[in-house]
Amino acid sequence: MNILLSVAFVLCWSSGFVGAKLGTEHAGAVTLLMWRFLPLAVILIAVAIGRGRASWQGLTARDIARQSAIGLLSQSGYLLTVYYAIQLGVSSGTTALIDGTQPLVAGALAGPLLRQYVSARQWLGLCLGLAGVAVVTTADASATTAVAWWVYLVPFAGMLSLVAATFLEERSRAQATPMVSMTVHCTTSALVFTVAASAAGAAAPSSAPSFWLATVWLVTLSTFGGYGLYWLVLQRSGVTKVNTLMFLMAPVTAVWGAAMFGEPFTAQTAVGLAVALSAVAVVHRASPREGQERVTAAR
């Protein structure tokens, strides 16, 4: 079951990079994100009202505020940087691979913050992943000379935002249901992006059919599929392994990007992706260090 969930997670999460590329061809990142989350928040709030208070029992105002902060980091901060990087010209595959460097950050912090220590073999895999990122990013930068070097730092900022959200969730004592978390997170993002788009005069949606196709794509595959499965796999597998799956996003996204948008896929790109895939195999075959503790078991 965990393998099937992992496969579904990789496919759905990688679809978000493709949807972002499709949508930002006709509208700015803030506009696309507003129309991704605003209808979704309305639907989720209506469902929450219809289900009554049962799923919200036991949650305090502080718990809701914490979930709002998690949504602000994992959706608003993370997605804005990803969409903006793609809008500025970074290929969807490279953005996905840069996003996949979060296992290194998560692995370094999991020990002192969560007591989920990383073994020597897992560190080897994580460093291989970083090498793969470097190779692919260099290939993309060489193929797209019109993109400024600093643009590649934008998705790194999004990665850090998602890592922060992951640790905030892991340290939370109150376990909210996936539906409650989704409702709070999406409502927070809808408010943030609606205010931002309105302030920038960019609230009007594009009339292009591909814009609305991208919106439906992002709501169904990326939000309900990828985002929902992220937290489910996180609860079952732990921080290091779920974040290592991020290295698999790049091969899937790179193939989609090359097929749908003609993005560069060179021999150097293939080598980098192969190194990243080997990193996943190393980490997932490694055993945690003796004495490792799962935070979820201590709750």
Side-chain angles (χ1 to χ4, degrees), residues 12-189:
C12 289
W13 190 279
S14 63
S15 72
F17 299 97
V18 179
K21 179 73 173 182
L22 188 64
T24 53
E25 289 183 338
H26 300 283
V30 175
T31 305
L32 179 61
L33 286 165
M34 171 187 167
W35 288 101
R36 170 180 175 175
F37 284 106
L38 189 57
L40 182 59
V42 172
I43 294 172
L44 290 173
I45 291 173
V47 171
I49 294 174
R51 296 182 63 180
R53 299 181 179 179
S55 58
W56 298 79
Q57 288 181 352
L59 294 176
T60 64
R62 184 176 181 179
D63 296 329
I64 300 300
R66 178 183 286 266
Q67 288 299 320
S68 295
I70 292 172
L72 189 64
L73 291 167
S74 64
Q75 284 188 346
S76 304
Y78 167 69
L79 291 175
L80 181 60
T81 55
V82 167
Y83 283 39
Y84 187 52
I86 291 176
Q87 181 182 328
L88 290 176
V90 180
S91 71
S92 56
T94 300
T95 305
L97 193 55
I98 292 174
D99 178 59
T101 60
Q102 58 178 294
L104 290 168
V105 180
L109 297 177
L113 294 181
L114 301 178
R115 297 182 182 177
Q116 296 184 19
Y117 294 98
V118 179
S119 67
R121 187 172 179 179
Q122 286 176 315
W123 273 117
L124 172 61
L126 296 174
C127 290
L128 280 173
L130 180 59
V133 170
V135 171
V136 174
T137 301
T138 303
D140 187 60
S142 300
T144 55
T145 55
V147 180
W149 66 268
W150 61 266
V151 175
Y152 291 94
L153 299 179
V154 176
F156 273 107
M159 175 273 296
L160 293 174
S161 184
L162 184 58
V163 168
T166 302
F167 281 106
L168 188 59
E169 170 67 20
E170 283 286 284
R171 291 177 66 88
S172 177
R173 294 182 179 180
Q175 187 68 43
T177 65
M179 182 56 70
V180 169
S181 298
M182 184 82 72
T183 301
V184 176
H185 296 177
C186 290
T187 301
T188 300
S189 295

Side-chain angles (χ1 to χ4, degrees), residues 239-272:
V239 172
T240 301
K241 286 191 175 181
V242 72
N243 281 299
T244 305
L245 287 173
M246 290 296 180
F247 286 128
L248 291 173
M249 307 304 173
V252 177
T253 306
V255 171
W256 281 15
M260 293 179 63
F261 309 113
E263 293 180 344
F265 192 96
T266 64
Q268 186 177 346
T269 302
V271 171

